[in-house]
Every structure is written in C-alpha cells, then in structure tokens.
Amino acid sequence: MTICSFDFTRQGATAATGATPPDEGYRWVHFDLTDADLPGFLHANVPAIPAAALTAPETRPRADRYGDGLILNLRGVNLNEDGPADQMVAVRMWVTAQLVVTVRVRKIFALDAMRAEADSGQGPGTPMQFVSALATRLMGRVQDTVFDLSGRVDAMEDSVQDDDQPLPTELAEERRMAIRLRRYLAPQRDALVALVGTDSPLMTQGTRDLLREQANLAKLNVEELEGLIARMTAVQDHHTAQAALMQGHNGYVLSIVAAVFLPLGFVTGLFGVNVAGMPGIETPWAFAALCVSLVVMTVGAVWVLRRLKWI
C-alpha cells in the first residue's frame, strides 16, 4: 500500500484516482521500500533499470537520464529520533512527464511537508518543479544543520583564547559529524550539478535556474564543512601544543629542582652514614656548620645554573 498518491493538475492537487495519471498533469506515488506492493507497481509502471535503482539496498546521490525520464537519488539530514542528523536519509526517484515515483527507507520530513501541501490542494505544477521543491527543502535543512555546527565550532575556537580551558569533550564527535556530512554532501553536490546540466526534455529554463541555486548551496555547504573540519583540527592541534608546552615546562622545573638538590642530597646522604670516624660527631657546632655549608652550596648551584643560562 502506498504512503500517498496524488494527481497534480493546473487546478491543484487531489488524491489519485484511476489506474493512470491525468492527461494534463502528473501523478506522484510515494512508497516505503518495505512495501509489499512496491515490486508489482514498479513492474507495471517503471522500466527495469530505474526500478532496480529504486529498490537498491544501498544508494548514493545521482542524477542520470534514462530515456525520457530521470533517475534521481538525493539525501537529507536525518530528523528522525532513531539516529543523528549526519546519518542522512535517502529518497530515490523516478521522474517522467506524467509520473513521479519516490521511495524512502526512513521518514523524510521534506516529503511529508510536500504531502501536507498536496492534502491542502496545493503542489508543484510540473514533475521538475516537484524535484526542485524537494531539493530546496532538503538543502534548506542541510544548511540549517551545517550552520548549527558552525556555531558550535565558533564556541570551541573562543575557548582556545583561554589556555586554562580543557579540550572540549564534544570536539571528536563534532569532527566526525562534519566528516560524515561532507561524505554525503559532496556526491549530492555533483548530482545536482549533473541535474542542472542534463539535456532531459523535462527540464525548463526556470527549473534549471532554481536547481542551479541548490547546486550552488550544496557547494557552499561542502566548502563550509571542509573549513569546519580544518578549524576543528586546528583547535585540537592548539590544545595538543598547549599540553606539550605545559608538560615540557613542568619537566624543565623538575629538572632545575633536581639539579639544585642533587649535591645537597649527596652531602646529607654522605654525612648520614652510621659508621665510626664521621667528622663533627663530638663537635657541638658541627650541625650548624653543615647547614651553612648546604645553604652556600644551594646558592652556588643557582649561580652556576644562571651562568649557564639554564634559568
């Protein structure tokens, strides 16, 4: 059973009736990939190669002409509760002059919004306007997600100004998110560019201009994600450098302390042996003399270190 089916004409959108699309308009049929009726519908209405593309277990963004139709795969951010936004959801499409078939695996909010418009009697007037409206909704949600990520990266960079701030705990996950988003958006950018350049008879100049804007938006988002990945790497490098600097400074201080107290430890250890013949055992002022000698040795050690420009 289809998720929804609408006929679009000049008068607007209505629930699909009859076995064939309207003469002056087109039909949109929306399926879930697990729908038991999907194979039969595809066998009766869609050529074999586009049908295989609609039911493929794995997809990537694409825009290919097949005869008088178009095979399209687009992706949008996952707004469902079953996964993070960077696990993008795919919509598979077969587009002809009279039929638009969309197949989903997970719920796609952009398609649900278009379905709500169709329920109210409104909708795109042509199949390519349908594609353009869907691409616009998908890319708008992608841009919102990328801008939100950019704001969080700005906050991370602000924390770099305060060297006492620890490495942001969310840095690794945010960087993985940016990498995954770029992985899906780069081929989507290429698919939209290919769609703009297609010579399909379905494409009009007005629709081409609208899709060109979405292709440019996809390029912008990919470039922004590449910049975010580089910025987060710079934040990581800064904190790593600060940690190394702090560790080196602490090691330097400990080395200086050890250099000063090494001779003192030798002298006190030597005079602490419990054997006969140690000088000063019977002399009342021997301990005071030893303490003064230790102070003199400390001052001397510090003077030598300064002369060597170690401190």
Side-chain angles (χ1 to χ4, degrees):
M1 183 177 179
T2 61
I3 298 174
C4 65
S5 182
F6 292 95
D7 287 336
F8 294 89
T9 63
R10 294 180 180 179
Q11 287 71 37
T14 58
T17 57
T20 59
D23 293 334
E24 296 183 359
Y26 69 97
R27 175 169 292 180
W28 170 36
V29 186
H30 184 35
F31 281 95
D32 189 278
L33 184 61
T34 60
D35 194 326
D37 295 335
L38 177 59
F41 175 86
L42 296 180
H43 179 73
N45 297 278
V46 179
I49 291 179
L54 289 172
T55 56
E58 297 292 336
T59 66
R60 71 186 302 276
R62 63 182 293 190
D64 297 316
R65 179 179 176 180
Y66 182 82
D68 291 336
L70 290 171
I71 302 172
L72 301 174
N73 289 338
L74 297 177
R75 287 184 177 270
V77 294
N78 185 9
L79 301 180
N80 299 294
E81 297 180 355
D82 63 345
D86 56 292
Q87 292 181 354
M88 301 183 75
V89 293
V91 54
R92 310 129 187 259
M93 288 183 283
W94 167 242
V95 182
T96 66
Q98 288 191 304
L99 180 64
V100 174
V101 181
T102 57
V103 179
R104 75 175 196 191
V105 175
R106 296 184 182 89
K107 183 177 181 180
I108 300 174
F109 283 77
L111 282 175
D112 285 354
M114 298 183 70
R115 177 184 176 184
E117 286 185 358
D119 280 330
S120 67
Q122 302 175 353
T126 67
M128 289 311 299
Q129 288 177 359
F130 180 97
V131 172
S132 175
L134 177 58
T136 300
R137 292 178 183 275
L138 292 174
M139 290 308 305
R141 288 169 169 81
V142 168
Q143 186 174 38
D144 290 342
T145 300
V146 173
F147 281 178
D148 288 343
L149 178 60
S150 179
R152 295 194 293 273
V153 174
D154 288 341
M156 293 181 195
E157 288 183 321
D158 291 341
S159 70
V160 170
Q161 306 301 324
D162 189 351
D163 292 336
D164 294 333
Q165 289 290 332
L167 182 70
T169 56
E170 68 276 12
L171 175 61
E173 180 56 34
E174 300 287 24
R175 183 160 56 182
R176 283 193 292 268
M177 178 180 181
I179 292 172
R180 287 192 290 261
L181 283 173
R182 186 195 176 282
R183 172 194 171 192
Y184 290 117
L185 284 179
Q188 179 136 313
R189 170 200 59 195
D190 298 338
L192 289 172
V193 170
L195 181 58
V196 171
T198 184
D199 59 352
S200 170
L202 298 173
M203 186 74 73
T204 64
Q205 187 58 46
T207 305
R208 195 185 304 274
D209 292 339
L210 293 174
L211 287 171
R212 183 179 293 110
E213 291 304 309
Q214 300 312 309
N216 288 332
L217 183 58
K219 294 177 184 178
L220 173 64
N221 284 318
V222 170
E223 292 169 358
E224 179 69 15
L225 287 170
E226 291 172 347
L228 292 177
I229 294 169
R231 289 164 61 189
M232 284 187 279
T233 300
V235 171
Q236 172 76 57
D237 292 345
H238 173 81
H239 281 277
T240 301
Q242 288 297 115
L245 184 62
M246 182 72 68
Q247 186 176 13
H249 176 73
N250 293 340
Y252 172 74
V253 171
L254 290 176
S255 299
I256 293 300
V257 172
V260 171
F261 282 91
L262 181 63
L264 305 184
F266 172 76
V267 172
T268 55
L270 179 63
F271 278 87
V273 296
N274 190 18
V275 296
M278 286 298 298
I281 294 179
E282 303 297 333
T283 305
W285 48 265
F287 178 73
L290 179 61
C291 290
V292 171
S293 300
L294 293 177
V295 171
V296 172
M297 291 179 63
T298 301
V299 173
V302 171
W303 180 82
V304 170
L305 292 174
R306 284 189 174 277
R307 290 281 295 179
L308 295 174
K309 295 184 180 180
W310 287 10
I311 57 175

